[in-house]
Amino acid sequence: MINKAKVANNHFNLGDSFYHIATPAKFPRHILRFRNDRAAKLLDLDQLNDNEWIKYFGKFEKLPGCLHKPLALKYHGHQFGYYNPDLGDGRGFLLAQFLDKNNILWDLGTKGSGQTKYSRGGDGRLTLKGAVRELLATEFLTSLGVPTSQTFSIIETAEELQRNDEPSPTRSAVLVRRSNSHIRIGTFQRLKYFNEYDNIALLLNHLNENYFTNLKSKKNIKILAENIFLESVKRIAESMGRIVIAGFVHGVLNTDNFNVTGEVFDYGPWRFIEFANTSFTAAYFDNNGRYSFGRQPEAALWALTQLGKSLDEFIEENIIIETLNQFSKSFHESLKKHFCWRMGIQDIDSKNLNEIMTILLNESEKNKIDYADMFYDFYGGRDSIIDCIKTNYGKKYKINEFSKIVDILKETLPAKGVLEKKNQLDNNRQNLLIGEVEHIWREIDQNDNWEFLHQKINNIRKLGYLLESEKLVNL
């Protein structure tokens, strides 16, 4: 008998200490703009027709087997270092959960689905531009091997929204994401804030049963807390290594934007870098560069420190410190492994990689060495590099400090099968700089032309196919 995906009610069964029942917005129109059948297939939802799709993901009718109304999740968090006890799902909710064919639990969560108890005066809506940007971010990160939420659905809703950071009025949409939980560091912070230690224990067991199933179930809650904390540190460090190699800047790494499973999610003012500049920021309001490109690992470790403090009733202080000290090791292991994957090489010495990253971060912008192009130019190691630097185009890599990178990488060997894909990769070089993102949006906004977006998604997915990113992320 073939296993089928099925609706689950696991988060609902935790009880209302973890959520508040939400009432979805009713929209004037529902225009289906994007449906992710690749992500839907895992949940056996790819066979829905468009009307059924809109019924469930635009009008929010209950999916068969779902026992609850939409759940606005409760959490707190530090925002740019300042604790905020007034957070929670302010324009989204947990719509449903699914156990896939492999018994992995997935959330379907919304963004822009209306006001909730936690809206704090906001309108509970999402701009269409915001939805398009999140789609682009999640698709490109997936192809670059980063564990991320998947943009599942975008439905335009025909409202005019006022925003101070976009020309207004601007178009509206509701987005649904597929995510490997919506349990944040801020979820634990809220429970700690109210001294709800029984609920922290309940949540730890929930994580063990549903998301950290690689850990053997522990009857001793203190040992379980230690194991889950360590696993979360490792997973978030792994993700940080991958987003650095991907050249990604999340923009707002507040503690309510960290999923304890390590999956990257909730995209606002993100950017991909052109040059490897440590101080490059994505958010115009990040005045002190707290979440700049080079400080993202630091932000992750700071957030994990807050998770440790939230678990201090269950974990001794010395063990919290010892666990947090594992972050650096896991981050650098991830950085090395993912660098080799994206460069298409077998291995590299850690010391050599540190030298490469130091040169890149110090010299890339000064010498106009495009970060993404370097990976394409040198893909496959030794032979690719020798061929590249013989050309006029490749001479730029022989100047100043960059010659040291060339010397190091000329000693690397290609990973199995990568040279056969080199030409195809050269013909499908993808990056996602702000100029291209704005061009895609202008065509949609001014001409209702979606062709550039669809073509970009196709090209990004082709890149992922060539890099075999499906081996690294769960599609």
Side-chain angles (χ1 to χ4, degrees):
M1 181 177 178
I2 299 174
N3 287 334
K4 280 192 163 290
K6 58 183 179 182
V7 168
N9 296 282
N10 299 28
H11 200 94
F12 174 65
N13 291 335
L14 285 172
D16 60 10
S17 293
F18 295 87
Y19 53 77
H20 186 270
I21 300 298
T23 301
K26 293 184 178 180
F27 301 113
R29 292 183 65 194
H30 299 84
I31 308 162
L32 181 56
R33 295 300 191 185
F34 175 77
R35 54 177 286 171
N36 190 342
D37 285 327
R38 182 172 71 174
K41 188 174 183 180
L42 193 66
L43 309 183
D44 285 327
L45 294 173
D46 54 316
Q47 300 303 313
L48 294 175
N49 63 42
D50 286 353
N51 287 333
E52 291 170 323
W53 190 278
I54 289 171
K55 179 175 72 172
Y56 294 128
F57 307 126
K59 298 179 181 178
F60 311 115
E61 292 191 22
K62 278 187 185 178
L63 284 147
C66 184
L67 301 179
H68 58 82
K69 294 180 180 179
L71 310 177
L73 304 185
K74 297 179 178 181
Y75 50 86
H76 289 176
H78 280 88
Q79 298 188 306
F80 287 86
Y82 296 95
Y83 194 76
N84 189 344
D86 297 319
L87 300 179
D89 279 339
R91 56 171 176 171
F93 46 66
L94 178 61
L95 180 63
Q97 292 183 300
F98 276 81
L99 279 169
D100 72 13
K101 300 169 188 179
N102 301 311
N103 218 35
I104 298 172
L105 185 64
W106 297 97
D107 290 3
L108 291 180
T110 66
K111 193 172 182 179
S113 48
Q115 293 175 314
T116 76
K117 181 181 178 180
Y118 309 109
S119 294
R120 296 179 293 159
D123 62 12
R125 269 46 175 189
L126 173 68
T127 67
L128 180 61
K129 182 179 183 179
V132 168
R133 282 175 49 82
E134 182 147 337
L135 168 61
L136 288 167
T138 55
E139 288 287 329
F140 197 34
L141 285 172
T142 297
S143 288
L144 293 177
V146 178
T148 173
S149 61
Q150 298 294 308
T151 301
F152 191 82
S153 170
I154 296 174
I155 294 172
E156 189 171 0
T157 52
E159 294 180 309
E160 294 187 342
L161 304 180
Q162 297 293 327
R163 293 291 185 268
N164 59 14
D165 56 354
E166 288 185 40
S168 296
T170 188
R171 295 158 73 173
S172 61
V174 63
L175 177 147
V176 176
R177 71 164 73 99
R178 192 201 76 192
S179 191
N180 186 218
S181 107
H182 281 80
I183 297 171
R184 301 155 162 86
I185 289 176
T187 309
F188 280 95
Q189 288 183 284
R190 179 186 173 276
L191 297 174
K192 170 68 175 179
Y193 183 86
F194 290 116
N195 298 317
E196 295 183 12
Y197 298 114
D198 288 346
N199 279 328
I200 291 178
L202 182 63
L203 190 57
L204 288 169
N205 281 299
H206 174 78
L207 285 168
N208 186 205
E209 292 167 7
N210 296 289
Y211 303 107
F212 294 84
T213 55
N214 57 312
L215 302 176
K216 291 183 179 179
S217 181
K218 300 289 183 182
K219 291 183 179 179
N220 186 320
I221 191 64
K222 292 191 174 183
I223 294 175
L224 180 59
E226 291 172 8
N227 290 344
I228 285 180
F229 183 44
L230 176 59
E231 186 72 10
S232 191
V233 167
K234 288 179 176 178
R235 292 191 189 190
I236 289 175
E238 167 83 13
S239 293
M240 287 297 110
R242 294 192 191 189
I243 70 170
V244 168
I245 297 303
F248 181 69
V249 190
H250 183 282
V252 188
L253 289 175
N254 295 326
T255 58
D256 57 300
N257 287 339
F258 274 98
N259 190 332
V260 295
T261 65
E263 186 182 78
V264 187
F265 81 121
D266 210 4
Y267 301 99
W270 61 266
R271 295 280 189 93
F272 283 91
I273 59 171
E274 182 175 10
F275 308 114
N277 179 349
T278 56
S279 61
F280 179 82
T281 58
Y284 67 88
F285 45 84
D286 188 2
N287 298 318
N288 297 317
R290 181 183 179 91
Y291 300 137
S292 63
F293 175 60
R295 294 181 66 187
Q296 292 180 115
E298 174 190 333
L301 181 57
W302 193 92
L304 284 163
T305 302
Q306 310 318 306
L307 177 59
K309 290 178 180 178
S310 300
L311 295 171
D312 62 5
E313 189 75 10
F314 301 87
I315 309 176
E316 298 292 335
E317 183 180 4
N318 65 309
I319 296 177
I320 291 174
I321 294 170
E322 182 182 312
T323 303
L324 290 169
N325 286 339
Q326 294 293 310
F327 179 90
S328 179
K329 179 185 175 184
S330 296
F331 169 72
H332 284 99
E333 286 175 351
S334 173
L335 200 72
K336 176 182 172 181
K337 186 177 180 180
H338 212 60
F339 179 88
C340 292
W341 175 80
R342 194 174 181 195
M343 191 64 74
I345 58 178
Q346 291 181 23
D347 197 14
I348 191 169
D349 182 79
S350 295
K351 182 179 178 182
N352 285 336
L353 177 57
N354 287 341
E355 185 167 6
I356 287 173
M357 294 304 296
T358 300
I359 293 169
L360 273 173
L361 294 169
N362 290 333
E363 305 291 334
S364 171
E365 186 162 20
K366 188 189 307 179
N367 292 288
K368 297 296 181 274
I369 301 294
D370 185 283
Y371 186 74
D373 274 344
M374 186 194 71
F375 287 99
Y376 297 123
D377 290 337
F378 292 170
Y379 188 75
R382 182 181 61 194
D383 293 344
S384 298
I385 294 163
I386 292 171
D387 288 344
C388 177
I389 61 176
K390 286 179 180 176
T391 65
N392 285 330
Y393 168 82
K395 285 181 180 177
K396 62 186 177 182
Y397 292 117
K398 297 166 73 175
I399 61 172
N400 301 329
E401 292 290 317
F402 268 86
S403 60
K404 294 180 183 178
I405 293 180
V406 172
D407 291 340
I408 292 170
L409 290 175
K410 276 168 66 176
E411 301 301 316
T412 60
L413 298 174
K416 185 179 178 180
V418 302
L419 293 180
E420 290 86 342
K421 299 181 290 188
K422 172 70 174 166
N423 287 337
Q424 292 182 72
L425 206 57
D426 278 335
N427 291 326
N428 188 44
R429 295 182 173 219
Q430 299 298 317
N431 203 356
L432 198 53
L433 303 180
I434 188 63
E436 185 175 14
V437 174
E438 290 295 328
H439 172 69
I440 289 170
W441 169 244
R442 268 195 312 274
E443 285 295 321
I444 292 171
D445 188 42
Q446 297 177 9
N447 305 315
D448 213 31
N449 178 7
W450 293 78
E451 184 57 35
F452 288 94
L453 175 66
H454 296 318
Q455 187 59 54
K456 186 64 178 180
I457 298 299
N458 288 338
N459 290 341
I460 287 173
R461 289 190 174 186
K462 182 180 177 183
L463 173 68
Y465 173 77
L466 291 170
L467 294 176
E468 300 182 12
S469 61
E470 74 278 0
K471 294 180 180 179
L472 301 180
V473 294
N474 198 332
L475 296 179

